[in-house]
Amino acid sequence: MDEIREIRVLVLGDEGVGKSSLISTYVSQIFSPVPPKMIPILVPPSHALPSVRATILDSSTADPIDLNGIDSAVLVYDLHRQSTFESLERVYLPIIAERNIPTILCASKVDKGTNPPPALLSLLSKYKFVHCCISVSSKTLLQINELFLTSMAIILYPLPPLFDLTTSELKPLAVKAFLRIYRMYTSLKTLPDSSLNTFQTHYFSAPLLSDDILGLKKIVSKSSPSSLSNGDFTKEGFLNIFKMFIMRNQLEMPWTVLKAEGYAVTEELTLECPDFKWKGRMPASAERFLEGMKDGCGDGKGVDIQRVVEVIEGGVPWEEGFFFEGCWSGVGGELGRSGEEEGMAGSIIVPPGSPRRTPTQPQQQQYDSRLDDSTALLDGGSILLEGEEGSEGEERMMPADEFVDAYILSYDVAPVKTLRHIHALGWRGIKEGEKESKYIRIRVLTGDSSTGDKILSVVSRYRNNRVVVTTVPWGSQDKGNDDDFDLTVFVIVEGRDAVIEEALECCRNLGREKRRCFVRLEDGSVDLGESNAAGRCEAVVKHCQERDLETPFISEEEGDAVAWLVECATSEGGESDKRVKPFEKERRQALKRRKMFKYGAGFVGVLVLGVAGLTVWKKNARVKSLLEGITDAIGISNKSVSARTGATTTTSASIIKNES
């Protein structure tokens, strides 16, 4: 059973507008004479609002307006007295605005005729806390129940976040939320009846009858013919279902759906998307959802980007230049252009081999195995892919793995924005006990102090591993959180002493449990020769030897930089693993010594216990022998006594017999 919510409703307005009559008629359902001011009325939970208990308070113009503890207000004016309407803005609305209390405007005595004043719409537009205006009549009981039920319901189910009263349209944030929910139940351009029933059952625990669905279609299509296509609801039709319920003041329906998906209301009465703050890799459920889009928005192998864009009414992250603004890292190094060229929709970093490669890019772009100062450091090759802007209805297929890779990169650069974006596609959000995706994060500290402060990320694949590499120049003020990376790579260039010193200092400051490795680049300015293979890197080699770390990786001598980095990033410090934690061998030996000491101590303990046990056993054996001797002696005495007793008994028996 839901927790009961206590709500206090205050009825305000000029004298004689019918405030007390409204309250009395609602309680008694009879129009009758009332006192000048009603006492507070307690309204118990009802069938319409089972989780609300309300207190309705009357007011008098003779008393000051007290809004302390008030949850909602009913502001009454007389349709036949213009002065009472003018008092709304002159007296009451500015005071209510200070507290931003949800308010209903109530036009009383509607049974006598007269239309609402023309200035009513301007009030609704100016004061956002005013949810709606309801015309009532105490004499005929017209909409009395609706008035007070709405005054309670607007606390649980507020209107301003969803609907614009001046335009009679859903607000943009509400449209995005409802379209996201639409996407959860269909991957098609329409919503079939079976999917509509799945939606209905999920949120309201009961399916719709075929007659109910047919009636709903008639009502919605009457207001907008584009609501249906081939007998099924379109996106516009799905939105119009919510709009219909809102315009009928049945706000429980849309809010039941939104609250089930984690939406809430801010203090400014705007719709707030669920909070997706998440530390670590992208949630595993989000990755699984994106992988599933090859079936929902694709052909089972790839994802149709155009169908994704149609659903969310916007672009995918890597095609929106503003998406990564203000983020800690950028996307794709010097390759990460914003896509401002004519005909370009944006840029994306994905592994090679995509069918979307365009003539603006070299067809056989390859990077060597050098770990240089750019983000193009992986032989496996993370490359820039420029996508042509597709015309409406044109398929833009993207392999499913690359689609997920692109979102992993987006998450790594802009985690909260990316989670909100995936949520807009139909992902249900983070659940309790959520696990994070398994991919490898590598930070490459490169360049020297004169390098610009440009932090860049790419994503690549090595075997079954997704690898996200973030390149951070030495000159950057923010080098990231050490805990966010599986491996820190110190790139040093021979002949640059400043870079070497900075790398060594940074390595010393890195926690002892953090994986790290060094990569040596040869700038070609010095002929080192075989006799001096270490070049000017001797200090780094010595540093690694002293700390039992892997010697610097030489890019020109190793084949696959990605393989080497992945091994370093996943090393657990075993005998056959890479040495990427300082003094790991020493720790292993110390652990061995502790184990040997532990086992030795255990053996000595067992030996001592054995000797002690043997000694006790021997002592017990002597005691046992003594006891047995005593027992035997006692046994002989008992036998003698028994024998003597037996003889006496026999003699006595003979005497008795003889006497007989």
Side-chain angles (χ1 to χ4, degrees):
M1 185 175 179
D2 294 338
E3 183 179 353
I4 299 297
R5 173 78 180 270
E6 300 285 348
I7 292 178
R8 291 167 63 85
V9 180
L10 178 63
V11 182
L12 292 167
D14 284 354
E15 186 176 356
V17 295
K19 302 186 297 294
S20 301
S21 292
L22 289 174
I23 299 173
S24 174
T25 305
Y26 174 63
V27 173
S28 65
Q29 295 295 297
I30 297 174
F31 178 67
S32 59
V34 293
K37 182 180 177 180
M38 292 285 291
I39 62 173
I41 301 297
L42 181 64
V43 181
S46 63
H47 176 72
L49 293 173
S51 61
V52 173
R53 181 166 45 235
T55 301
I56 301 177
L57 304 170
D58 198 359
S59 64
S60 171
T61 53
D63 301 326
I65 298 175
D66 184 7
L67 297 177
N68 290 323
I70 299 301
D71 297 296
S72 67
V74 175
L75 193 50
V76 186
Y77 69 95
D78 189 338
L79 267 176
H80 308 281
R81 293 163 57 197
Q82 180 65 22
S83 61
T84 63
F85 177 79
E86 294 170 353
S87 294
L88 300 184
E89 189 168 20
R90 188 181 70 253
V91 179
Y92 303 102
L93 287 172
I95 297 175
I96 298 174
E98 294 176 2
R99 300 291 188 91
N100 203 31
I101 295 174
T103 301
I104 296 174
L105 298 185
C106 173
S108 66
K109 305 179 183 179
V110 71
D111 56 287
K112 296 181 180 180
T114 305
N115 295 321
L120 181 61
L121 286 178
S122 64
L123 286 186
L124 296 176
S125 175
K126 183 176 180 180
Y127 298 99
K128 301 301 182 183
F129 56 85
V130 176
H131 286 230
C132 60
C133 180
I134 300 178
S135 299
V136 302
S137 170
S138 298
K139 189 172 183 179
T140 63
L141 276 68
L142 177 66
Q143 297 200 111
I144 297 295
N145 292 343
E146 288 80 354
L147 172 67
F148 286 101
L149 286 175
T150 303
S151 71
M152 305 171 202
I154 59 176
I155 305 302
L156 299 178
Y157 318 117
L159 178 66
L162 308 182
F163 198 71
D164 190 332
L165 289 170
T166 58
T167 62
S168 296
E169 296 294 339
L170 293 171
K171 290 191 173 179
L173 288 177
V175 170
K176 289 184 178 180
F178 292 139
L179 283 178
R180 175 245 164 187
I181 294 165
Y182 170 86
R183 168 64 185 81
M184 288 169 52
Y185 291 94
T186 181
S187 59
L188 307 173
K189 291 187 177 181
T190 58
L191 183 72
D193 292 352
S194 58
S195 299
L196 179 64
N197 253 332
T198 302
F199 163 87
Q200 172 73 16
T201 304
H202 179 78
Y203 297 109
F204 303 102
S205 305
L208 291 170
L209 299 176
S210 57
D211 289 344
D212 295 332
I213 296 177
L214 184 60
L216 186 61
K217 288 178 179 178
K218 287 182 178 179
I219 296 171
V220 173
S221 62
K222 188 178 295 184
S223 61
S224 174
S226 61
S227 296
L228 297 177
S229 176
N230 295 325
D232 292 334
F233 283 106
T234 61
K235 287 186 296 183
E236 291 78 10
F238 187 74
L239 293 174
N240 285 333
I241 293 174
F242 291 97
K243 182 178 176 181
M244 177 193 70
F245 279 99
I246 291 172
M247 295 186 72
R248 294 183 176 187
N249 278 328
Q250 295 174 330
L251 294 168
E252 182 181 1
M253 183 272 183
W255 273 114
T256 297
V257 175
L258 291 171
K259 287 183 178 181
E261 298 304 330
Y263 287 89
V265 181
T266 65
E267 292 183 358
E268 294 76 23
L269 293 177
T270 59
L271 194 63
E272 183 177 47
C273 190
D275 188 4
F276 292 133
K277 291 180 181 178
W278 176 267
K279 183 174 176 59
R281 276 70 167 167
M282 189 167 71
S285 63
E287 182 177 334
R288 289 194 299 271
F289 170 80
L290 292 170
E291 289 172 348
M293 292 196 74
K294 66 179 182 291
D295 298 314
C297 286
D299 57 5
K301 295 180 181 179
V303 180
D304 180 359
I305 303 300
Q306 187 63 37
R307 288 171 64 180
V308 173
V309 172
E310 283 178 353
V311 168
I312 60 174
E313 301 291 334
V316 284
W318 53 88
E319 293 186 348
E320 298 181 81
F322 62 86
F323 193 88
F324 301 110
E325 288 181 2
C327 297
W328 175 68
S329 170
V331 176
E334 296 177 358
L335 304 175
R337 293 172 298 195
S338 62
E340 295 177 355
E341 301 176 26
E342 185 177 356
M344 292 297 184
S347 61
I348 171 178
I349 302 296
V350 295
S354 170
R356 293 175 58 212
R357 187 172 295 171
T358 70
T360 61
Q361 180 172 334
Q363 293 296 314
Q364 300 295 330
Q365 183 170 357
Q366 295 291 334
Y367 298 119
D368 60 20
S369 60
R370 286 174 54 92
L371 296 173
D372 56 20
D373 291 348
S374 77
T375 53
L377 52 81
L378 305 177
D379 349 23
S382 292
I383 65 170
L384 177 71
L385 178 65
E386 295 286 2
E388 290 184 348
E389 186 173 4
S391 59
E392 186 175 356
E394 178 187 349
E395 289 188 352
R396 290 189 294 153
M397 299 302 296
M398 184 175 182
D401 286 344
E402 296 180 5
F403 180 77
V404 177
D405 288 348
Y407 268 101
I408 284 178
L409 176 61
S410 297
Y411 175 83
D412 200 67
V413 175
V416 175
K417 287 183 179 179
T418 303
L419 287 183
R420 291 184 184 276
H421 192 279
I422 301 172
H423 182 266
L425 291 176
W427 173 59
R428 287 192 177 274
I430 299 168
K431 305 298 180 185
E432 186 176 353
E434 175 69 279
K435 295 181 180 180
E436 59 184 25
S437 296
K438 295 180 180 179
Y439 60 88
I440 298 169
R441 280 209 61 189
I442 296 176
R443 172 178 54 179
V444 179
L445 297 175
T446 183
D448 54 32
S449 298
S450 61
T451 307
D453 189 16
K454 194 173 185 181
I455 303 172
L456 304 158
S457 296
V458 296
V459 66
S460 184
R461 293 177 70 87
Y462 175 71
R463 295 181 180 174
N464 294 324
N465 296 297
R466 288 186 171 96
V467 184
V468 177
V469 181
T470 300
T471 304
V472 184
W474 291 116
S476 174
Q477 297 299 316
D478 183 5
K479 293 182 172 62
N481 188 343
D482 296 342
D483 295 331
D484 291 339
F485 299 95
D486 299 298
L487 176 70
T488 297
V489 182
F490 300 102
V491 178
I492 54 175
V493 182
E494 294 175 0
R496 301 185 189 178
D497 295 336
V499 174
I500 293 175
E501 290 301 321
E502 198 161 1
L504 296 180
E505 183 63 24
C506 192
C507 183
R508 295 185 190 102
N509 295 332
L510 193 63
R512 288 183 58 172
E513 295 301 317
K514 307 300 178 189
R515 300 183 184 93
R516 84 287 309 275
C517 66
F518 287 84
V519 171
R520 178 164 67 89
L521 301 181
E522 298 175 356
D523 62 3
S525 61
V526 180
D527 184 9
L528 301 174
E530 294 183 2
S531 61
N532 190 14
R536 288 185 164 183
C537 200
E538 295 151 337
V540 178
V541 174
K542 183 179 179 181
H543 176 88
C544 293
Q545 290 173 346
E546 290 174 348
R547 287 161 176 76
D548 189 29
L549 292 170
E550 287 289 324
T551 55
F553 174 85
I554 303 175
S555 64
E556 290 187 351
E557 294 182 1
E558 297 287 343
D560 190 349
V562 182
W564 194 81
L565 290 175
V566 169
E567 287 181 27
C568 290
T570 56
S571 172
E572 295 298 335
E575 291 288 350
S576 60
D577 289 340
K578 298 292 183 184
R579 294 166 299 160
V580 291
K581 295 180 182 178
F583 312 110
E584 188 70 20
K585 184 177 180 180
E586 180 182 315
R587 284 201 293 268
R588 288 198 303 269
Q589 291 176 344
L591 181 61
K592 277 185 178 179
R593 289 194 294 269
R594 285 197 296 271
K595 286 183 178 179
M596 291 179 64
F597 176 78
K598 181 179 178 181
Y599 293 147
F603 176 76
V604 171
V606 171
L607 185 62
V608 170
L609 289 174
V611 172
L614 182 61
T615 303
V616 171
W617 181 81
K618 287 182 177 180
K619 289 182 179 180
N620 288 343
R622 288 196 292 271
V623 172
K624 183 178 180 182
S625 298
L626 178 62
L627 291 176
E628 287 178 352
I630 295 172
T631 302
D632 291 343
I634 293 174
I636 294 171
S637 299
N638 288 340
K639 289 178 182 178
S640 300
V641 172
S642 299
R644 288 195 299 273
T645 304
T648 305
T649 304
T650 304
T651 306
S652 301
S654 300
I655 293 172
I656 293 172
K657 184 176 181 182
N658 291 335
E659 288 182 351
S660 301

